[in-house]
Amino acid sequence: MACPAAALLLLPLLLGLLAPAPARATDPYAAFDWDVSYVTRSPLGVPQKVIAINKEFPGPVVNVTTNYNVAVNVLNSLDEPLLITWDGIQQRKNCWQDGVLGTNCPIPPGWNWTYNFQVKDQIGSFFYFPPLSMQRAAGGFGGITVNNRAVISVPFDTPDGDVRLFIGDWYNKNHTDLRKMLDDGKELGMPDGVLMNGKGPYRYNDSLVPAGIEYETIDVEPGKTYRFRVHNVGVSTSLNLRIQGHNMAMVETEGSYTMKQNFTNLDIHVGQSYSFLVTMDQNASSDYYIVASARFVNESLWTRVTGVAILHYSNSKGKASGPLPDPPNDEYDKSFSMNQARSIRMNVTTGAARPNPQGSFHYGEINVTQVYKLRNMPPVTINGKRRTTLNGISYSPPATPLRLADLYDKKEVYTLDFPTMPSDGPPAIGSSVINSTYKNFMEIVFQNNDTKVQTYHIDGYAFWVVGMDYGEWKNESRSTYNKWDGVSRCTTQCSPEHGPPSCCRSTARGSGTCARRIWTPGTSARRRTSGWWILTEATT
Ligand SMILES: *[C@@H]1O[C@H](CO)[C@@H](O)[C@H](O)[C@H]1NC(C)=O
Ligand SMILES: *[C@@H]1O[C@H](CO)[C@@H](O)[C@H](O)[C@H]1NC(C)=O
Ligand SMILES: *[C@@H]1O[C@H](CO)[C@@H](O)[C@H](O)[C@H]1NC(C)=O
Ligand SMILES: *[C@@H]1O[C@H](CO)[C@@H](O)[C@H](O)[C@H]1NC(C)=O
Ligand SMILES: *[C@@H]1O[C@H](CO)[C@@H](O)[C@H](O)[C@H]1NC(C)=O
Ligand SMILES: *[C@@H]1O[C@H](CO)[C@@H](O)[C@H](O)[C@H]1NC(C)=O
Ligand SMILES: *[C@@H]1O[C@H](CO)[C@@H](O)[C@H](O)[C@H]1NC(C)=O
Ligand SMILES: *[C@@H]1O[C@H](CO)[C@@H](O)[C@H](O)[C@H]1NC(C)=O
Ligand SMILES: *[C@@H]1O[C@H](CO)[C@@H](O)[C@H](O)[C@H]1NC(C)=O
Ligand SMILES: *[C@@H]1O[C@H](CO)[C@@H](O)[C@H](O)[C@H]1NC(C)=O
Ligand SMILES: *[C@@H]1O[C@H](CO)[C@@H](O)[C@H](O)[C@H]1NC(C)=O
Ligand SMILES: *[C@@H]1O[C@H](CO)[C@@H](O)[C@H](O)[C@H]1NC(C)=O
């Protein structure tokens, strides 16, 4: 039953036996054929192999409408196993297709496999990516748009256009070299730059950006309003996004409509997605900069970790020039980033595909039955490899995929003893799994004991972010929870520390609707070094 080949043969068979409710025939189908292969690109001037889909880097957008049945036939033309995961897409009907190691076996090189799933009860902006082996550091990502059905209204006027923006840190070393560094117990160090839609920075300063780099240009018409869907697809760098001279009105994040609010800049952490409405209300005296710069770092050392694209009005009178718009200055407002994040709230009066599985927004009244406090520490070296831990455990996927082990009752493959609270014991490697009860509600506290920002992603899953603060989480912290209009999303940051080491918390609540979920903290690329674990129901 080990991955990949044997299990691959098994999977379709099992699916046939287990498939829960089959997709309704009346729901439309959308089919895609993807060839995932290396192409050579030089985003920062250095030629390297990047992962493209149908030769596109970033990959094509999966543009579908809620209730669609989606079939993506993926041919792996890489030289190593491949999985594609669908980010916040909640696969209620088919937990075998989420592209996470443990429930899906990787597609061996030269093989193809078709992901079949239904996008349901969701409207919004997401992205897909290859979660294994640092592949995301080489590309393989692209957008997912889930549109509303015609009967469901959206809380803003239909924009004049849709603009996709992938921002993310980038290394000139390829992903196999990066992987080797981690396996040798080394840090990756400062990235070589930030890409925007797979391209390097506009040459805003001759001494900082070399000549000959291809940059991204967003063409717009004056007076029109565009929906920018922005995703941080990077490895580990939090980025601050800003568009010179323009307000960004946030309207959606990871499938939740937010209270519309203008930002002049926003911190977008690794794995997060946002939609902004941007009106072209400036006078086009020149082009404008779109900037994504590294956050919570020493900016005088990290100048190269800055992405710059160009916003070009059709009536623009010239090129963008001069300094970039300023990043936020935290020196006098250390809570800037956290206050910004706390201000993002759900629009509870707007319709949604289906607000939550219980059919209610009133998550604050739901009785929590399980509480987990998960603490990550700075990375440690275990068996010579650089790894991070959660509650002292660094997850190691067993040779038999968890989902199969569970199905065949092979309990010796994993343990159901994931600690509910942090412990001060020595870090260990384990295949330890959270024992959760189907359809119960959990409260999860993420306690970041590192000195760097961490993001947590719950794959294929949305949870309410009910609170966020610095310092050690305590029972009393619950009195500060937002029990009314927190956003439901799939990735949250545990915010950064300013000055001396401190820790912060962020809290999430969720419910188990799909039989089993793998929960992945941190970024996909870091996942290799992070603990990650699975949530199972108690019916095993
Ligand atoms: C990455 O670069 C190394 C040399 O530094 C090379 O041996 C390896 O084949 C490259 N991998 C890919 C996927 O390009
Ligand atoms: C995505 O699909 C919707 C609904 O079919 C369509 O209106 C829209 O133009 C498409 N968007 C893009 C960018 O193709
Ligand atoms: C592989 O691709 C072929 C050709 O597109 C298709 O007929 C077949 O169903 C695919 N196999 C799987 C397992 O998806
Ligand atoms: C919230 O949604 C309602 C209903 O769609 C809409 O009219 C209103 O403008 C939205 N409020 C904000 C602040 O976005
Ligand atoms: C370019 O960047 C360098 C180094 O930060 C700075 O000294 C110089 O003033 C900048 N040039 C312009 C034209 O802004
Ligand atoms: C937000 O920005 C838009 C476009 O710049 C502007 O028209 C609107 O008045 C702003 N709204 C608020 C509440 O500041
Ligand atoms: C256009 O806007 C810029 C920046 O706000 C301003 O400096 C300039 O004078 C304006 N030009 C015209 C023609 O209004
Ligand atoms: C940032 O780095 C510069 C150059 O090494 C150093 O002089 C400066 O003290 C650093 N700033 C902070 C806040 O650490
Ligand atoms: C939560 O538990 C209380 C006390 O047992 C009960 O009165 C209440 O109805 C429960 N709330 C929900 C949403 O089930
Ligand atoms: C926090 O609450 C839990 C469960 O209600 C309880 O077991 C624990 O003793 C409390 N801790 C403190 C410090 O009060
Ligand atoms: C990590 O946790 C320990 C124990 O709770 C605490 O003493 C220490 O200050 C924390 N460190 C950071 C950087 O948060
Ligand atoms: C898992 O949880 C269920 C329900 O709470 C319990 O009956 C079962 O004993 C637990 N399993 C283990 C191995 O702890």
Side-chain angles (χ1 to χ4, degrees):
M1 278 205 299
C3 271
L8 257 176
L9 295 171
L10 268 176
L11 273 177
L13 183 79
L14 298 174
L15 273 176
L17 295 175
L18 285 181
R24 293 213 323 267
T26 48
D27 292 325
Y29 258 91
F32 301 86
D33 274 304
W34 286 358
D35 182 1
V36 182
S37 68
Y38 293 120
V39 298
T40 301
R41 294 285 161 85
S42 311
L44 295 174
V46 177
Q48 61 192 126
K49 279 189 199 162
V50 306
I51 298 175
I53 296 177
N54 297 343
K55 302 270 186 283
E56 291 175 47
F57 167 69
V61 173
V62 175
N63 180 28
V64 290
T65 298
T66 188
N67 285 356
Y68 270 41
N69 297 298
V70 182
V72 189
N73 182 2
V74 177
L75 170 63
N76 178 8
S77 297
L78 305 178
D79 55 0
E80 51 187 30
L82 170 75
L83 274 175
I84 301 279
T85 191
W86 313 94
D87 185 43
I89 297 297
Q90 298 181 37
Q91 302 190 17
R92 298 221 170 85
K93 285 191 175 170
N94 198 339
C95 303
W96 293 87
Q97 311 262 324
D98 56 6
V100 174
L101 194 66
T103 49
N104 253 180
C105 283
I107 308 170
W111 289 48
N112 69 316
W113 196 69
T114 304
Y115 291 91
N116 280 295
F117 54 89
Q118 186 174 27
V119 291
K120 200 149 175 61
D121 306 335
Q122 276 182 301
I123 303 172
S125 315
F126 308 92
F127 68 98
Y128 59 83
F129 58 91
L132 294 184
S133 312
M134 294 290 288
Q135 285 167 353
R136 187 163 111 190
F141 48 77
I144 304 175
T145 300
V146 183
N147 300 292
N148 58 307
R149 286 179 295 141
V151 295
I152 293 173
S153 66
V154 162
F156 45 85
D157 292 340
T158 306
D160 299 298
D162 215 272
V163 175
R164 207 100 201 178
L165 202 55
F166 298 96
I167 60 179
D169 54 10
W170 190 262
Y171 291 87
N172 285 333
K173 283 201 171 71
N174 66 35
H175 72 285
T176 50
D177 283 349
L178 294 175
R179 194 162 72 206
K180 187 166 184 310
M181 287 172 72
L182 293 177
D183 284 349
D184 290 345
K186 294 186 192 133
E187 280 191 64
L188 299 182
M190 194 198 317
D192 295 298
V194 168
L195 303 194
M196 295 176 97
N197 288 351
K199 294 173 186 165
Y202 172 77
R203 199 172 190 202
Y204 66 98
N205 177 319
D206 286 356
S207 65
L208 294 177
V209 182
I213 303 255
E214 192 192 352
Y215 59 88
E216 177 71 348
T217 301
I218 308 289
D219 290 305
V220 294
E221 296 293 329
K224 299 220 154 143
T225 297
Y226 296 82
R227 179 171 181 174
F228 280 64
R229 300 181 195 253
V230 187
H231 313 275
N232 184 338
V233 292
V235 172
S236 64
T237 310
S238 296
L239 297 172
N240 181 265
L241 179 80
R242 47 206 188 270
I243 305 179
Q244 190 177 32
H246 292 75
N247 276 323
M248 308 188 295
M250 183 194 295
V251 289
E252 181 253 343
T253 181
E254 296 163 21
S256 288
Y257 286 119
T258 59
M259 294 297 279
K260 190 172 168 186
Q261 184 186 175
N262 279 347
F263 290 91
T264 52
N265 70 79
L266 186 80
D267 288 339
I268 303 184
H269 302 275
V270 173
Q272 292 186 328
S273 300
Y274 287 100
S275 287
F276 305 99
L277 300 180
V278 185
T279 300
M280 300 307 144
D281 54 7
Q282 296 303 300
N283 64 21
S285 54
S286 71
D287 291 345
Y288 298 91
Y289 294 126
I290 303 174
V291 182
S293 60
R295 276 293 261 153
F296 319 117
V297 294
N298 183 334
E299 281 159 23
S300 62
L301 293 175
W302 281 60
T303 43
R304 75 175 191 225
V305 192
T306 303
V308 185
I310 291 298
L311 184 73
H312 175 77
Y313 281 50
S314 60
N315 62 341
S316 168
K317 295 175 202 65
K319 288 193 172 305
S321 62
L324 300 179
D326 286 333
N329 181 347
D330 303 287
E331 199 168 332
Y332 302 105
D333 184 4
K334 301 212 184 298
S335 300
F336 176 85
S337 186
M338 187 166 301
N339 286 340
Q340 194 181 49
R342 282 177 180 145
S343 77
I344 301 169
R345 289 176 301 130
M346 174 110 80
N347 184 340
V348 292
T349 60
T350 193
R354 191 159 160 245
N356 74 34
Q358 281 65 39
S360 150
F361 275 114
H362 304 305
Y363 64 87
E365 291 165 21
I366 289 164
N367 294 320
V368 165
T369 44
Q370 280 180 295
V371 180
Y372 275 85
K373 180 173 173 183
L374 305 175
R375 184 176 70 181
N376 66 280
M377 306 286 284
V380 289
T381 302
I382 309 180
N383 300 344
K385 295 188 183 182
R386 203 173 158 74
R387 306 191 67 106
T388 60
T389 56
L390 284 163
N391 290 0
I393 298 177
S394 188
Y395 182 76
S396 166
T400 302
L402 276 174
R403 192 77 169 84
L404 287 183
D406 183 38
L407 184 73
Y408 288 106
D409 217 13
K410 296 208 159 292
K411 293 205 190 302
E412 69 281 6
V413 168
Y414 57 92
T415 56
L416 276 178
D417 58 354
F418 195 90
T420 57
M421 291 288 149
S423 73
D424 291 322
I429 292 187
S431 304
S432 180
V433 161
I434 288 180
N435 183 22
S436 165
T437 310
Y438 187 50
K439 286 192 170 165
N440 273 13
F441 272 80
M442 291 179 94
E443 178 184 19
I444 300 164
V445 177
F446 298 116
Q447 181 82 45
N448 185 358
N449 198 236
D450 199 347
T451 52
K452 290 180 185 155
V453 68
Q454 177 65 278
T455 55
Y456 288 91
H457 175 63
I458 302 190
D459 209 285
Y461 206 81
F463 50 85
W464 284 278
V465 179
V466 296
M468 217 177 256
D469 211 341
Y470 295 106
E472 181 82 14
W473 182 89
K474 298 193 178 65
N475 284 349
E476 304 80 69
S477 307
R478 291 198 176 100
S479 65
T480 68
Y481 282 4
N482 175 354
K483 293 191 166 184
W484 172 241
D485 59 0
V487 281
S488 165
R489 61 187 310 167
C490 61
T491 309
T492 188
Q493 74 272 31
C494 198
S495 280
E497 306 69 26
H498 305 279
S502 65
C503 50
C504 66
R505 71 174 158 78
S506 117
T507 310
R509 252 183 189 180
S511 69
T513 50
C514 198
R516 287 134 184 99
R517 280 293 169 214
I518 292 185
W519 301 25
T520 50
T523 70
S524 68
R526 271 197 198 159
R527 193 170 293 164
R528 213 182 140 62
T529 54
S530 297
W532 55 271
W533 68 103
I534 196 168
L535 166 68
T536 84
E537 61 189 32
T539 55
T540 48

